[in-house]
Amino acid sequence: MKILMISIDKDLFDENSEMRQRIIEYGNLTEELHVIVFNRYKLGEAVGTDMILASSKVFIYPTDSDSKFSYISDAKKITKKILKTHSHGLDLVTAQDPFMTGWVGYKIAKKFKIPLQIQIHTDFLSPYFKKESLLNRIRVLIAKFIIPKASCIRVVSERIKNSLLARGYWLVPEKIVVLPIFVDIGKIKNTSISIDLHKKYSQFDFIILMASRFTKEKNIKIAISAINEIIKEYPKTGLIIVGVGPEENNLKFKIKNLKLLNNVIIEPWNNDLISYYKTADLFLLTSNYEGYGRTIIEAAAAGCKIVSSNVGIADEVLNNNTIFQEGNEKELKEKIIKAIKGEIMPPKLLIFQTKEGYLNEHKKSWEMCGHFRREDSDSYF
């Protein structure tokens, strides 16, 4: 297949990034993979080239747009060039979200009569998503329009699929593919420990680990508030928060304001989280919403017990006594105390999947999308 992908991931411009390596693997499944990446030269994001040859099969095109409003026209121009250069045409357009890339993907698919796949990585149907900002409310409206126009949908969890079906966004279950983000469980299990958190922070008897971007929807503040209460009974409990993001200063202010500097420690993101998972006593996720929750899988693969809000794949991987209702600080505190007492269940047994198996499922999702489009060519546009 010859596939056009619409993306906002600027890491694709970095030849050493994880995302670049992943896209090359996807490209190996195709005849050609063309990736249009939104970027704005006025923000200093100019790439300085019309096209990056990532591999013999992967072609990356920066839009170098004046503004977000020109993404559609710029992406259409690039698509025209691709179709002129590659005379056999394109078999599929895949957009990495149902918002801006979905809108652009829809416009391109409609103009050039190409099947459209919409990917959904975040639980935009969560009430917390809509409440978070005006922009998110607009995104929900865009998704409501775009999703029924797609030839097929790829979601990362059963939760999102069920939400789409329940809300009437998508009425054909067979055209929704649940394809999670790949996690190399075997690699995690076999990786040796290089950093022991209990040796690094020997002052703690019980260590709770969090690892995420510092953004509002992660709701890390609720964990800090819960620890403030827990240490009154269990003073040698430590919370290690690994990450980076726009909420970092707000988190540091809360830690300082509650006088928790001795119990709550923020560390910058690092590439050895496996050792952290393996030597922590508990992994904690407090998000208000998640499409998937990759860190839950990573922590489970490392053998760490987990407490999580009821988001993403939590109910697929964890037992009920380790899940709390998102935003409920009292319930969170109770779950952590049970963990300290050794009264919570470990995660469910994970299904091992090879990289080859995962990539094969990815390829099948593209082929299925083209199949549905060919069968019902006039239904979508």
Side-chain angles (χ1 to χ4, degrees), residues 101-266:
T101 69
W103 181 268
V104 174
Y106 162 67
K107 290 293 185 180
I108 290 173
K110 183 177 181 181
K111 180 173 178 60
F112 298 104
K113 301 186 184 305
I114 306 169
L116 173 65
Q117 180 194 59
I118 295 293
Q119 301 180 43
I120 305 177
H121 294 260
T122 191
D123 187 6
F124 72 93
L125 292 174
S126 162
Y128 288 98
F129 182 88
K130 196 172 182 178
K131 290 176 183 177
E132 194 170 277
S133 67
L134 173 60
L135 178 58
N136 278 3
R137 289 194 286 276
I138 294 171
R139 284 170 171 158
V140 171
L141 292 175
I142 293 172
K144 188 175 182 180
F145 173 80
I146 292 295
I147 288 173
K149 308 292 183 184
S151 307
C152 68
I153 307 290
R154 177 245 170 147
V155 299
V156 294
S157 67
E158 291 288 343
R159 182 186 299 271
I160 297 177
K161 177 180 178 178
N162 294 335
S163 293
L164 289 173
L165 293 172
R167 303 288 183 88
Y169 274 75
W170 191 260
L171 301 177
V172 186
E174 294 79 10
K175 296 183 182 180
I176 305 177
V177 172
V178 180
L179 184 61
I181 299 162
F182 178 74
V183 177
D184 194 337
I185 293 173
K187 179 181 176 181
I188 292 173
K189 287 180 178 292
N190 295 325
T191 297
S192 300
I193 295 170
S194 60
I195 301 172
D196 187 327
L197 283 178
H198 275 280
K199 289 181 179 177
K200 187 173 183 178
Y201 299 107
S202 58
Q203 68 269 35
F204 300 133
D205 290 338
F206 192 89
I207 294 178
I208 303 168
L209 172 66
M210 300 184 76
S212 90
R213 274 191 54 78
F214 298 156
T215 51
K216 287 182 179 179
E217 75 270 14
K218 302 301 183 182
N219 199 13
I220 298 171
K221 286 185 176 181
I222 196 175
I224 296 170
S225 297
I227 290 297
N228 187 48
E229 295 299 316
I230 288 168
I231 61 171
K232 293 174 183 177
E233 188 175 354
Y234 301 93
K236 289 191 175 184
T237 300
L239 173 62
I240 312 300
I241 309 172
V242 182
V244 66
E247 285 290 295
E248 183 169 350
N249 288 336
N250 291 334
L251 296 177
K252 287 180 176 179
F253 176 80
K254 185 176 182 70
I255 293 166
K256 185 176 181 180
N257 190 48
L258 291 176
K259 299 179 180 178
L260 292 174
L261 293 173
N262 292 328
N263 291 87
V264 182
I265 297 167
I266 289 181

Side-chain angles (χ1 to χ4, degrees), residues 333-347:
K333 176 187 169 184
E334 291 171 354
K335 300 291 184 185
I336 293 175
I337 288 176
K338 282 186 177 181
I340 293 172
K341 291 180 176 179
E343 296 174 355
I344 66 169
M345 298 284 289

Side-chain angles (χ1 to χ4, degrees), residues 268-313:
W269 194 261
N270 70 69
N271 294 319
D272 194 21
L273 279 179
I274 295 176
S275 290
Y276 278 38
Y277 291 133
K278 288 190 173 186
T279 56
D281 298 293
L282 180 72
F283 181 77
L284 178 61
L285 188 144
T286 56
S287 299
N288 289 331
Y289 59 87
E290 289 278 354
Y292 182 59
R294 177 175 176 171
T295 52
I296 289 179
I297 295 293
E298 292 174 343
C304 189
K305 290 188 176 180
I306 301 166
V307 165
S308 173
S309 50
N310 190 16
V311 297
I313 55 168

